[in-house]
Amino acid sequence: MQGRVQSTELAGYTVHELRSATGTTVHEYESSSGTVFAVAWKGPFPPNLEQLLGSQFEQYQEAMKNSPGRTGHGPITIRLPNLVVQLAGHMGDYSGRAYIPDEVPAGTSLESIR
Amino acid sequence: MTMIAKLCMPALATSVIAAAFLNACGGSSTKPNAIAAPASNVQAIAVNSGPANDYVNGAFTSVKVCVPSSSNCQVIDGILVDTGSYGLRLLSSTGGGALTLPLVNQTSSNGSPIGECAPFVSGLTWGRVATVDITISGEKASGIPVQVIDGSFAALPSECTRFGVPEQETLTGPNGLRANGILGVGPLVQDCGTPCTHTGSGNPGLYYVCAGTTCTVTTVALAQQVQNPVAAFATDNNGVIVQLPSTSTPASSLTGALVFGIGTQTNNAVNNVTVFPINSNIEFNTALSGQTYPAFVDSGSNAYFFLDSSKTSLPDCPDPNASFYCPGSNTSFSANTSASGGSSETVKFTIGNADSMFSDSTAFVFPALGGSNPGIFDWGLPFFFGRNIYTAISGKSTPSGQGPYWAF
């Protein structure tokens, strides 16, 4: 992924903002200890999830493929033991986030990961 | 699913380098909910279990596709009506779909077939692009690009797998499409638009030219992209109205109408509805409990997908239905939809326990089905029950202004 990077320091973590060439914005959440504990995205096309999830991508994909339940189309939440991935939107408007629950700094609301 | 733990820091590091207008107009008045009588611009639709016999809250219809300018045609039913996407996609019989008619491939200048990877939220469709004539009721779109969903077409390119959602190439199974196709009649014309006419990193990787089994990203002009057939109709081409009756309890099926055109005939006038212009994100707004969120209307989403437990106090269901809410008792909400220009409308809805609903194996229509969707409102199919919902296409004129807009 490439594009302009802008970083904003907040209480307990730093947000790096990246805008891809296809117009999708990615936010990366880095704790003060240097751990990236979350990513979030929004834009006209899905992001490169393989790059965003790194070594977790294959496990995520496997869980996604086996996601059970009564059937239909809609947003989806994949919960792995220590990674949550949430996908939403519709064609032309994709959003989502991935976070490591155990690494989210104390006092940080999940609502701010977007 | 035994898995661990960390987002890959090096990959992430690489990627690093690299007011709601209240009551200005509208309100919660009683809305018309007529179902149009049969006519040349009216197509019957039904919410039922679909061709895989297990679809929940899906609206299905049929389309007739023909080899262009020929009488070589096939009528295909079990097509999902989707106001959240653009263009017709047909599941090939190789994946258990109904399409058997040999279609004419769209090709590149050197004769190689064009393929498409179309990302949806919870899956993607992959296969070649073909050109067909589409007839729905009395409306016809000639020489329109559609996608033939076919996993055997070629290997999935890496630019497509990186979207991270599974390929949906079969009718049934864990990632089954559960429809013989998808009829995308949303507020845009093309499924990609100008980004797919660009070369280099600005091209999102939806279209491919395939030599043998190897596919590489290509540019495709707007007119050759898979697109909303309604926009190409000779008449009644500025949008659609989805009309479904209300139901207060789960049901086995509902029948309604997909009406073509907005304000083009006596049966599709803009009557007593509020118009919500759609912004450049393909969204409008919805407020709940004093906070405003992005929102969209999508018949192809099968529930009220909105916010999360921290905002709704509705617990997620245990697996396998964790995408849905499972409250202890039915819970009512009152939200306020709004858009630029001051349009506003109060929407009242009720969410019930999905696990309890699903225990009735004969029901496939669930008016109180909800699920989480952090920070967003996705007004899915239950929102359509008991409403006439207008979707006006971008750039098209209607008596209530130019599209894109939703009105209800």
Side-chain angles (χ1 to χ4, degrees), chain B residues 69-157:
Chain B
S69 305
S70 83
S71 56
N72 194 10
C73 303
Q74 183 182 4
V75 175
I76 299 176
D77 63 9
I79 304 282
L80 188 73
V81 177
D82 183 15
T83 64
S85 70
Y86 324 103
L88 177 64
R89 296 160 212 285
L90 298 168
L91 181 63
S92 165
S93 59
T94 58
L99 176 68
T100 52
L101 183 72
L103 298 179
V104 180
N105 283 350
Q106 191 183 108
T107 56
S108 66
S109 53
N110 69 2
S112 296
I114 300 294
E116 188 186 19
C117 167
F120 287 79
V121 169
S122 53
L124 63 86
T125 58
W126 168 245
R128 65 200 165 95
V129 177
T131 304
V132 305
D133 291 349
I134 300 171
T135 302
I136 312 175
S137 186
E139 311 281 2
K140 184 172 180 183
S142 299
I144 288 294
V146 301
Q147 184 182 27
V148 177
I149 303 167
D150 182 359
S152 70
F153 165 62
L156 212 57

Side-chain angles (χ1 to χ4, degrees), chain B residues 34-402:
Chain B
I35 309 297
S40 64
N41 67 326
V42 176
Q43 173 73 1
I45 62 175
V47 182
N48 57 33
S49 61
N53 296 314
D54 62 1
Y55 209 105
V56 171
N57 283 347
F60 293 91
T61 193
S62 64
V63 300
K64 180 180 175 184
V65 292
C66 302
V67 172
S69 305
S70 83
S71 56
N72 194 10
C73 303
Q74 183 182 4
V75 175
I76 299 176
D77 63 9
I79 304 282
L80 188 73
V81 177
D82 183 15
T83 64
S85 70
Y86 324 103
L88 177 64
R89 296 160 212 285
L90 298 168
L91 181 63
S92 165
S93 59
T94 58
L99 176 68
T100 52
L101 183 72
L103 298 179
V104 180
N105 283 350
Q106 191 183 108
T107 56
S108 66
S109 53
N110 69 2
S112 296
I114 300 294
E116 188 186 19
C117 167
F120 287 79
V121 169
S122 53
L124 63 86
T125 58
W126 168 245
R128 65 200 165 95
V129 177
T131 304
V132 305
D133 291 349
I134 300 171
T135 302
I136 312 175
S137 186
E139 311 281 2
K140 184 172 180 183
S142 299
I144 288 294
V146 301
Q147 184 182 27
V148 177
I149 303 167
D150 182 359
S152 70
F153 165 62
L156 212 57
S158 60
E159 293 90 344
C160 181
T161 54
R162 74 187 186 192
F163 289 142
V165 292
E167 183 181 0
Q168 299 191 299
E169 57 175 304
T170 56
L171 181 66
T172 57
N175 293 298
L177 192 67
R178 294 183 154 70
N180 284 325
I182 299 170
L183 178 62
V185 291
L188 301 186
V189 179
Q190 299 91 10
D191 70 352
C192 183
T194 52
C196 285
T197 67
H198 296 155
T199 55
S201 62
N203 187 309
L206 267 58
Y207 286 95
Y208 297 80
V209 58
C210 297
T213 61
T214 304
C215 299
T216 52
V217 175
T218 190
T219 59
V220 172
L222 295 179
Q224 273 72 55
Q225 294 180 13
V226 171
Q227 55 199 279
N228 187 340
V230 176
F233 288 162
T235 58
D236 308 315
N237 55 20
N238 57 358
V240 299
I241 312 168
V242 176
Q243 303 177 335
L244 287 168
S246 65
T247 177
S248 57
T249 55
S252 58
S253 68
L254 287 182
T255 55
L258 176 64
V259 180
F260 299 112
I262 295 175
T264 59
Q265 309 281 349
T266 53
N267 67 358
N268 61 17
V270 187
N271 247 340
N272 192 23
V273 291
T274 303
V275 172
F276 297 91
I278 296 172
N279 67 24
S280 59
N281 291 336
I282 333 289
E283 293 168 345
F284 66 149
N285 293 319
T286 297
L288 184 71
S289 304
Q291 219 176 325
T292 302
Y293 306 91
F296 56 91
V297 178
D298 178 9
S299 68
S301 293
N302 68 345
Y304 292 100
F305 290 109
F306 68 112
L307 310 184
D308 59 21
S309 293
S310 73
K311 295 289 179 187
T312 63
S313 299
L314 303 173
D316 292 338
C317 301
D319 280 332
N321 293 318
S323 292
F324 298 111
Y325 284 133
C326 271
S329 58
N330 283 359
T331 307
S332 294
F333 294 87
S334 179
N336 194 270
T337 55
S338 65
S340 63
S343 306
S344 161
E345 187 76 27
T346 299
V347 177
K348 296 182 188 305
F349 61 105
T350 298
I351 301 302
N353 185 302
D355 276 350
S356 303
M357 294 180 215
F358 293 165
S359 66
D360 177 357
S361 62
T362 66
F364 298 94
V365 180
F366 298 106
L369 188 61
S372 63
N373 194 15
I376 307 176
F377 269 80
D378 175 349
W379 294 105
L381 198 71
F383 177 63
F384 288 68
F385 300 165
R387 285 187 176 83
N388 289 355
I389 297 190
Y390 297 62
T391 302
I393 297 171
S394 181
K396 300 279 191 179
S397 295
T398 81
S400 298
Q402 183 161 298

